[in-house]
Amino acid sequence: MKSLRLLFAFLALALFPASAQAADRLVLAFGDSLTAGYRLPPGQGFAPQLEAALRKSGVSAWVHNAGVSGDTTAQGKARLAWVLASLKAKPDLVIVELGANDMLRGLDPARAEANLDAILGELRRRDIPILLAGMVAAPNLGKDYARRFDPIYARLAAKHKAGLYPFFLQGVVGNRSLHIGDAIHPNERGVSVIVRGILPHVRRLLTSR
């Protein structure tokens, strides 16, 4: 009987680490339509494609889609606390992808920076790792707007000690075959390009803690 108890104890110890290691990491994808998967079939948006890529690369994680089409940085700031409260666990990483709608509407970059600063500050206060996904101004907005808008992401990432993916649409902009037709939102293939680019940054932040 004693030997059986020892055997069961050994099996429990041998199996428990595997199940513990298999516990999913929670990634919160917090953004606008680029995160939400605007006009894409189920399973083809940013969150599900990133989750699949993480699992394929050996990182057991699930990615919660908290993208809302049309959101500005102000609207993201307003709903952040509610989104965090709605989750069943504290995120292991939050990907913040906001600012595109501020830029497309020509809103003051200083306000966008202030809103993002508040979002990152709240996440940092909660000790939640951050990956900030950057955006760049469209050429038609002019050089002055770009000069004020483009640097805010690197500046905020440095201030809040956050990870930085400089341009969320890297490799997609300008390639019509990667857009749904509006020259803004990526199609399924475009999302896969985004995921391929951002994946190493996400993996590094998830596995460094």
Side-chain angles (χ1 to χ4, degrees):
M1 182 65 69
K2 182 177 180 181
S3 61
L4 283 176
R5 284 200 299 269
L6 289 173
L7 176 60
F8 288 140
F10 173 79
L11 288 174
L13 288 172
L15 292 173
F16 180 75
S19 61
Q21 289 172 3
D24 283 354
R25 299 292 188 93
L26 171 58
V27 178
L28 174 64
F30 186 73
D32 49 39
S33 57
L34 299 176
T35 293
Y38 178 72
R39 287 177 55 186
L40 294 179
Q44 295 302 316
F46 174 70
Q49 285 207 41
L50 177 60
E51 180 177 306
L54 283 167
R55 291 181 180 274
K56 186 176 180 179
S57 72
V59 178
S60 183
W62 68 282
V63 182
H64 180 80
N65 186 355
V68 174
S69 295
D71 254 17
T72 61
T73 55
Q75 291 165 321
K77 172 188 171 184
R79 68 183 173 91
L80 176 63
W82 177 85
V83 170
L84 292 172
S86 72
L87 298 174
K88 294 182 178 180
K90 178 180 174 180
D92 296 286
L93 177 67
V94 175
I95 302 171
V96 178
E97 178 277 305
L98 286 165
N101 288 308
D102 298 65
M103 178 268 295
L104 291 172
R105 298 174 192 180
L107 302 181
D108 184 3
R111 292 307 309 156
E113 182 167 9
N115 293 328
L116 287 169
D117 188 27
I119 290 170
L120 301 188
E122 178 61 20
L123 293 172
R124 189 179 179 191
R125 185 184 71 79
R126 296 174 185 239
D127 192 32
I128 300 174
I130 307 161
L131 177 59
L132 180 60
M135 183 55 56
V136 299
N140 64 296
L141 290 169
K143 293 182 179 179
D144 180 65
Y145 190 91
R147 178 183 58 80
R148 293 184 294 127
F149 181 85
D150 291 358
I152 66 179
Y153 295 92
R155 191 157 56 229
L156 288 172
K159 175 180 179 180
H160 292 281
K161 297 180 174 59
L164 176 66
Y165 187 63
F167 184 31
F168 189 70
L169 293 174
Q170 181 68 40
V172 176
V173 169
N175 188 335
R176 292 185 178 182
S177 69
L178 300 178
H179 289 94
I180 62 173
D182 61 3
I184 297 174
H185 296 92
N187 58 24
E188 298 97 313
R189 289 177 56 215
V191 172
S192 70
V193 170
I194 294 170
V195 168
R196 188 161 59 247
I198 204 170
L199 179 63
H201 300 261
V202 176
R203 290 188 80 259
R204 182 168 60 250
L205 289 169
L206 283 177
T207 58
S208 63
R209 284 170 64 101

